[in-house]
Amino acid sequence: MNVNQVAENLALSHQEELVDLPKNYPLSENEDEGDSDGERKHQKLLEAISSLDGKNRRKLAERSEASLKVSEFSVSSEGSGEKLVLADLLEPVKTSSSLATIKKQLNRVKSKKVVELPLNKEKIEQIHREVAFSKTSQVLSKWDPIILKNQQAEQLVFPLGKEQPAIAPIEHALSGWKARTPLEQEIFNLLHKNKQPVTDPLLTPMEKASLQAMSLEEAKMHRAELQRARALQSYYEAKARKEKKIKSKKYHRVVKKGKAKKALKEFEQLQKVNPTVALEEMEKIENARMMERMSLKHQNSGKWAKSKAIMAKYDLEARQAMQEQLAQNKELTQKLQVASESEEEEGGTEVEELLVPHVVNEVQMNVDGPNPWMFRSCTSDTKEAATQEDPEQLPELAAHEVSASGAEERPVAEEEILLREFEERQSLRKRSELNQDAEPASSQETKDSSSQEVLSELRALSQKLKEKHQSRKQKASSEGTVPQVQREEPAPEEAEPLLLQRSERVQTLEELEELGKEDCFQNKELPRPVLEGQQSERTPNNRPDAPKEKKEKEQLINLQNFLTTQSPSMRSLAVPTIIEELEDEEERDQRQMIKEAFAGDDVIRDFLKEKREAVEASKPKDVDLTLPGWGEWGGVGLKPSAKKRRQFLIKAPEGPPRKDKNLPNVIISEKRNIHAAAHQVQVLPYPFTHHRQFERTIQTPIGSTWNTQRAFQKLTTPKVVTKPGHIIKPIKAEDVGYQSSSRSDLPVIQRNPKRITTRHNKEEKL
Amino acid sequence: METAPKPGKDVPPKKDKLQTKRKKPRRYWEEETVPTTAGASPGPPRNKKNRELRPQRPKNAHILKKSRISKKPQVPKKPREWKNPESQSGLSGVSVGPDGCSPVTPLILWFFSKTRSRLEVAEAEEEETSIKAARSELLLAEEPGFLEGEDGEDTAKICQADIVEAVDIASAAKHFDLNLRQFGPYRLNYSRTGRHLAFGGRRGHVAALDWVTKKLMCEINVMEAVRDIRFLHSEALLAVAQNRWLHIYDNQGIELHCIRRCDRVTRLEFLPFHFLLATASETGFLTYLDVSVGKIVAALNARAGRLDVMSQNPYNAVIHLGHSNGTVSLWSPAMKEPLAKILCHRGGVRAVAVDSTGTYMATSGLDHQLKIFDLRGTYQPLSTRTLPHGAGHLAFSQRGLLVAGMGDVVNIWAGQGKASPPSLEQPYLTHRLSGPVHGLQFCPFEDVLGVGHTGGITSMLVPGASEPNFDGLESNPYRSRKQRQEWEVKALLEKVPAELICLDPRALAEVDVISLEQGKKEQIERLGYDPQAKAPFQPKPKQKGRSSTASLVKRKRKVMDEEHRDKVRQSLQQQHHKEAKAKPTGARPSALDRFVR
């Protein structure tokens, strides 16, 4: 579209020109003009005529005359072929002196640049500020390290005096001093001998020399060298990387061959010089050869070989190449056979082994030894057999097993456990009966020293006493009003280690015996509940129902265990004096009875109850918003429906777990100590985002009570110390080692702000 | 402004004083080490004044097989030699209060530091101070004595006469018997410095003496049953629990006060750093009396009948009461109810004692058992022994020896090292007295055990019982009157408020999270917005047409979704945790369950 318009316009303009031409002529004839003018006209005419023929019509005519109709496209100074200059316009026909001045002025005007508009005031000020800021900040930035240093300093002492000169060494002060005593002389002799410093204790002459050895220039040179080396290295690396990236196979082949040749040469040289190393090299080469052989390169299986095989029928060269390759292959294989047969055989077996899948080996192993699973069951069987066969002979072993049973036999079926336990207990019972008779003797035997016989007897006696005590206790409990407690007496042993952290292990024979006895006690009790028909109670594992009950009971059991079953020997009390305290047995029995009577079997239950209450009290309460009778029938005895209650019950969020959740014998109060809380920090100080961080920083106490005096003083040093009676002057550049005066930098900007404005103006124009 | 504190760096485990290697910084999401495991290492802020630095007994240096008693019970020398140079400078008037140095100073420092986070700085400081503390142990010259039997010999069979024979005269003089058969069983108490001894007989005999020089300070008969006797903060004041009321006497035997609000007191305990006299009464009240101002701070009803078993935990100043229902309750004056209740025995509790580090509690009950409990959070018995007669009285020494009085016999058990509980396997020493034991206490800073019984008072030698090095500024056995007065003023200035007594004294150094959150909530309410809330995600403008409205919305959406996903993931994890926790409690359901009605 646009193109058409342009074309039309052009056409129009031409027509106008054509129209104009005849008009122009008479006007121009009227004017007085020189020859040149005439010539021009003539030329124009010629052009006009030539343009008539249509071929070269696009020549735009010069507009030499003001006219009403001005084409926007035809404004040009073209036509004459020469450029119009201002001077041409102003040049009069005849040169006159009066115009010379004007010309000069014009020239001057031309030479002068245009004065730009000044910016408005605000803008200028802004620019000033910006520049001043950037400059100043640049100037001030040199203070940054000093500021940082001061901020990080442990302590600042004002006034910031210069570093006090180090106290001169004592030897300098006492120049007249001489070593007088023989010891001193000896010391100095030693020092002199070893060239140790005598006067200045810090540096030996060697050190001093080494310090002085490297001047600044040297250091610089050294650094430059290092830099150069590093640069070279990086170039080399880059080059290597580039080479590595080259994909051309041919190139690589060439490189490889070159390398191989080089290696060969070196090898030959080595052979001459150092045969042992050469042998090693040889081995290496051999290895390489083997690798190559393994790669099946010469077996006519490659791409190239295949193509050659096709061509070989017709091409003699190809055939030859193939044969060559085959020969090479043969050579390779042949050499292999020659090399070392034993090795080869070994390799073969290895290969065989490799070829044979692992499964076979495993099977073989299985053949060798029994299946681990089978093995395990076998051993356990034997174990069982052992216990069944000779329980009397190996009571200790059995006891060991019992003690370890909890840990070991878990994977086995539970029924089995029960069965075995029962058997073991039976055997143990028998054994303990035997043992009880022979006990004093056995305990005596264990103590080989005769001096301790008395002790052991005592021990035995006390043990008997304890037994009686225990049996009595059981009787009492059987008579007691609380059947639950009694039921829990033979509680399973596995619950025990959960709660109790026994510090001592079964180690001695006696203890083992004791263990057996304990078991026996349990066994004695056993029949009772069975008779009462509470077998289900005895084997709680088999009872699938009522897990809730069990859970509660478990805790109870734990508590019971904790308080009752934990009564290890008082064997440790090897005090001869105590016996006299025992008086006659009966009195003691009586006392014990009394104690048992009020030794509160309810203690545990009471405690648990108390704990439950405490837990309940500390739980957040639910809010019940049900309105009885709203939307339902109301009245006495009518309860809102369950659905409604559910709907309007706002459950309180569950609080954090209690601290005594897993401690059955403890009630820890969850109440907050508000009096202490008043002393605690309640607002987190600013830079911290988490209270733990803050706590971490105040964790270490700083008082002198907990720290040594030095540490305390260091921890509490004030950040700023001012010396009394001194003027604290502001810090100066000279103080910190800067030579340049910072003053001179600032006014420079303010002195010639013009330059800056012009620059800015330019920027604006752009 | 400055680098934000790294959220990761957090509460590293308490460091042992001797530890020199730097530990890996602990992240706050990692759980804190359970105090039971770390408790053995005494962190720097232990009991407030518990600053004697304990020397480790050299492993092999002093064990001489030949001599039975390889070292005499230590006898501290003159005080001058004892003062550390550090503590002395404190004497010269540079007393700095506990708040003289606020944690703000280092804070300012850290605030600007760009290179090291302030937590790192704190850690470094802690390490440095702990190293310094470890180094300063070099200054503790004395080593604890001990008793070692010849091959296979039981130390329990060594009797007092043997020990007295073996030790030097000065130490031998510390073993003595006071035959006071007339005025019934005696209770006794040593002053905090270990220099003075006060004892009161059931039938009214009250006396105080400097037991080292055997110089009698006063001797009176109060003409009333005396149930317990105790020194107050210094040896100049003496509290006596008499039949009806509590009386306070001075060292001349002049009655200063009769406190009628504390009636029928059975046991007394004095908390030296709080200046509190705790009294347990027959009426079942535990009363705290502030002796510095003479005010009753708290009177707590234990609701457990007559109270006659009491001891204090020197670590946190919590009072332990033993009850007839087999429980031991822990009390603080700030709380109306017990801080904790521990069921220890089936029968009533007969005696309770807590060791000086507050780690172990020994209890004995009517069930004839002696148990040692771990007080570091678990409250479980570590070892238990049944004694033939049951222990009526228990006491711990400064170095963790446990003594039990059973009838007329005292048994002493020793542990393996300083921080270990006494092992009840073998008694370390036994001694038999002329009458049943009525009161027991180890003398501080002397290897001496005082036993009050019906026949009077016995002072036994127990090598290795107490701390050999004392702090001359804290409790100096050789202090003059002037020094005592000065100490008194300082101690009063440093008095700890009674309400700060709580189970874990370290908790005071924690931020009160509840009020912190409350304050935050209120601030949000006040301002109408959360000033610390994370600004909503604003997508950055991008070029090349990627900042179109649609893409902006998309980007916003992405971030939102990511956050949402995170939330869901977290909640799922929590649920999993809950389920995992809930599961193992129930037994595995059997296939036969379906038939159960």
Side-chain angles (χ1 to χ4, degrees), chain A residues 544 566 569-570 572-573 577 595 599 610 665 667 669 672 679-681 687 692 695-696 700 705 714 716, chain B residues 10 12 101 118 126 128 337 339-341 343 346 369 385-386 388 411 424-425 432 507 511-512 593:
Chain A
Q566 255 277 324
S569 64
M570 38 139 234
S572 57
L573 271 185
T577 48
K595 263 171 202 164
E610 200 179 333
N665 65 323
I667 305 171
S669 166
R672 196 162 158 248
H679 293 266
Q680 279 177 294
V681 178
R692 284 275 171 80
E695 281 163 17
R696 176 75 196 79
T700 9
T705 319
K714 204 190 163 203
T716 56
Chain B
D10 208 356
C101 37
R118 73 209 61 167
E126 191 183 324
E128 203 183 329
E337 58 176 29
L339 300 171
K341 248 185 185 184
L343 181 60
R346 292 200 70 190
Q369 287 195 330
R385 274 282 171 281
T386 310
N411 258 15
L424 301 179
E425 294 282 342
R432 152 171 272 273
V511 176
D512 187 10
D593 273 1

Side-chain angles (χ1 to χ4, degrees), chain A residues 691-699, chain B residues 11 509-511 513:
Chain A
H691 63 90
R692 284 275 171 80
Q693 295 168 351
F694 176 60
E695 281 163 17
R696 176 75 196 79
T697 54
I698 61 168
Q699 198 185 26
Chain B
V11 194
E510 283 168 8
V511 176
V513 180

Side-chain angles (χ1 to χ4, degrees), chain B residues 220-238:
Chain B
I220 49 171
N221 197 321
V222 296
M223 307 304 284
E224 212 179 1
V226 170
R227 293 219 183 85
D228 203 356
I229 188 164
R230 202 142 287 254
F231 276 114
L232 296 191
H233 53 99
S234 73
E235 57 270 15
L237 291 171
L238 199 61

Side-chain angles (χ1 to χ4, degrees), chain A residues 397-450:
Chain A
L397 209 155
H400 259 304
E401 275 178 9
V402 170
S403 64
S405 67
E408 282 180 11
E409 292 166 8
R410 211 151 276 170
V412 195
E414 284 176 350
E415 285 91 353
E416 269 184 294
I417 292 179
L418 283 174
L419 265 175
R420 204 180 306 157
E421 268 181 11
F422 194 69
E423 278 164 6
E424 275 168 7
R425 277 178 189 172
Q426 272 185 336
S427 65
L428 277 171
R429 203 185 304 165
K430 276 183 212 164
R431 183 178 51 104
S432 62
E433 275 166 15
L434 282 173
N435 274 358
Q436 272 180 343
D437 295 350
E439 197 183 36
S442 69
S443 55
Q444 269 179 10
E445 277 167 16
T446 53
K447 298 283 162 189
D448 40 3
S449 65
S450 61

Side-chain angles (χ1 to χ4, degrees), chain A residues 439 443 446-447 452 454-466 504-515 517 567-576 578-579, chain B residues 154 156 368 384-389 411 413 423-427 430:
Chain A
E439 197 183 36
S443 55
T446 53
K447 298 283 162 189
Q452 297 216 329
V454 188
L455 273 182
S456 61
E457 264 182 14
L458 284 174
R459 213 164 283 152
L461 224 160
S462 58
Q463 272 177 351
K464 269 187 187 169
L465 268 174
K466 201 188 82 190
E504 61 276 339
R505 279 279 137 73
V506 181
Q507 276 168 350
T508 59
L509 276 174
E510 288 159 17
E511 272 176 333
L512 280 173
E513 280 166 19
E514 259 177 37
L515 213 146
K517 257 172 262 155
S567 52
S569 64
M570 38 139 234
R571 193 174 67 80
S572 57
L573 271 185
V575 193
I578 292 162
I579 289 306
Chain B
D154 196 357
H368 292 191
T384 309
R385 274 282 171 281
T386 310
L387 306 173
H389 212 67
N411 258 15
W413 291 277
S423 63
L424 301 179
E425 294 282 342
Q426 281 276 323
T430 57

